[in-house]
Amino acid sequence: MTAPLSDRVVLVTGGGRGIGRSHCLTLAAHGAAVVVNDPGVSRDGSGGEAAPAASVVAEIEAAGGRAIAHTGSVSSWSDVADMIAAAVDTFGTLTGVVNNAGILRDAMVTNVSEADWDAVIAVHLKGTFAVTRHACEYWRAQSKAGHQIDAHIVNTTSGAGLWGNVGQCAYGAAKAATANLTVVTALEAQRYGVAVNAISPLAVTRISENFFTTDQANDAALDPARSSPVVAWLQSRQSSWLTGQILRVNGAQLSRIEGFTEAPGRYHAADGNSLQYNEIGQAVSWLYNTAPRGLAGPLPLG
């Protein structure tokens, strides 16, 4: 039987370790050719070595798969352009990217340095955008040249971005922005055949290991590999109908993230024209159900 991803060529950023490594191995096991991008930096983004990406490539090739290594940084515009070119030059095309690269430099809002803020934003947000931008540029050009495009972008957001987490203002802000970038790119790129989605994986990795207790860190449900089958499916033709969505992967559980939602209740200005300062407090109390009903009943909510 033909492997479901045998016609896929996928670039995975941060593919040398943790979740990224698992994504690469799973994609290759399902037949995809993989560009394993990883500059081999430490948890905070410092240093660098070629070994992590090369090791994953060797593992894929030993299993009969196809892969190449790329050690450029997602925060470098020229490095990202070269990743796309390397995929096309080696495998003849590019059908998908998985934006997984990330670093952490956690601190409370009052303690974050400008350098640490910039570094985290550069990798998580600029990096996701840079890869997305260069890949979409390639697919748009192919579409204009008359080629049928069926391409897939999988971004990586997190609970810190969706719900917040103490000490992670930079990381959380970048991941929240990534969720929005997913939606915007989906709206723009669908016209030339690109589906754009995101995952929010819960797993123990180099980045997240400090958040878990010893017992949790040894929990098989938090193995980084748990989200990789979802990523593989999101890179398949079977998933092309789905775009602009976020899937949460928590161990053996898969759920849909609905994003920012507007509650059903509506307060209408008392004069029917414009909200006035002196009515906002009571209105907000009603909207959040923090005020007693009273004999007069609720304020006029639609």
Side-chain angles (χ1 to χ4, degrees):
M1 180 171 19
T2 302
L5 303 182
S6 60
D7 63 341
R8 306 280 91 182
V9 176
V10 185
L11 163 65
V12 180
T13 69
R17 299 184 178 103
I19 292 179
R21 173 182 174 274
S22 176
H23 292 344
C24 291
L25 296 177
T26 302
L27 288 163
H30 286 84
V34 183
V35 179
V36 183
N37 164 253
D38 201 307
V41 298
S42 64
R43 185 173 180 266
D44 67 357
S46 60
E49 57 176 328
S55 176
V56 175
V57 169
E59 197 170 351
I60 290 173
E61 291 180 338
R66 300 170 294 155
I68 60 170
H70 195 289
T71 57
S73 171
V74 294
S75 63
S76 166
W77 202 252
S78 59
D79 283 2
V80 171
D82 191 64
M83 294 174 205
I84 305 301
V88 176
D89 291 345
T90 304
F91 300 114
T93 188
L94 176 72
T95 67
V97 298
V98 180
N99 285 306
N100 169 77
I103 65 170
L104 275 187
R105 295 187 183 180
D106 290 347
M108 304 292 278
V109 170
T110 53
N111 296 328
V112 175
S113 69
E114 182 179 12
D116 286 351
W117 173 274
D118 288 347
V120 172
I121 296 298
V123 173
H124 286 280
L125 183 53
K126 180 186 176 183
T128 296
F129 169 71
V131 173
T132 296
R133 191 267 189 192
H134 283 84
C136 284
E137 181 181 31
Y138 167 74
W139 291 321
R140 183 181 64 177
Q142 290 292 299
S143 178
K144 288 184 175 180
H147 300 287
Q148 187 70 34
I149 304 300
D150 180 39
H152 302 256
I153 295 174
V154 179
N155 293 328
T156 307
T157 185
S158 75
L162 298 172
W163 304 298
N165 192 41
V166 173
Q168 291 196 308
C169 59
Y171 176 75
K175 288 306 188 184
T178 296
N180 185 269
L181 179 61
T182 299
V183 176
V184 173
T185 309
L187 291 170
E188 294 182 356
Q190 190 172 34
R191 70 193 70 179
Y192 43 89
V194 182
V196 188
N197 295 288
I199 62 165
S200 173
L202 184 65
V204 178
T205 67
R206 280 196 313 162
I207 282 183
S208 66
E209 61 187 0
N210 292 342
F211 304 141
F212 298 101
T213 65
T214 300
D215 289 341
Q216 288 175 317
N218 295 323
D219 187 348
L222 297 176
D223 187 306
R226 294 296 182 120
S227 63
S228 296
V230 179
V231 168
W233 183 80
L234 287 171
Q235 288 293 337
S236 74
R237 292 182 181 275
Q238 294 178 30
S239 71
S240 299
W241 62 273
L242 184 72
T243 193
Q245 305 303 312
I246 300 172
L247 294 174
R248 176 77 167 170
V249 186
N250 184 350
Q253 298 178 345
L254 182 66
S255 59
R256 171 187 174 187
I257 299 296
E258 295 187 334
F260 291 106
T261 58
E262 189 175 9
R266 303 289 186 276
Y267 169 78
H268 299 279
D271 65 5
N273 180 44
S274 179
L275 294 167
Q276 303 300 316
Y277 178 88
N278 60 8
E279 66 184 309
I280 302 302
Q282 190 175 16
V284 172
S285 293
W286 279 110
L287 289 173
Y288 282 89
N289 294 315
T290 60
R293 180 180 186 278
L295 292 177
L299 292 177
L301 298 170

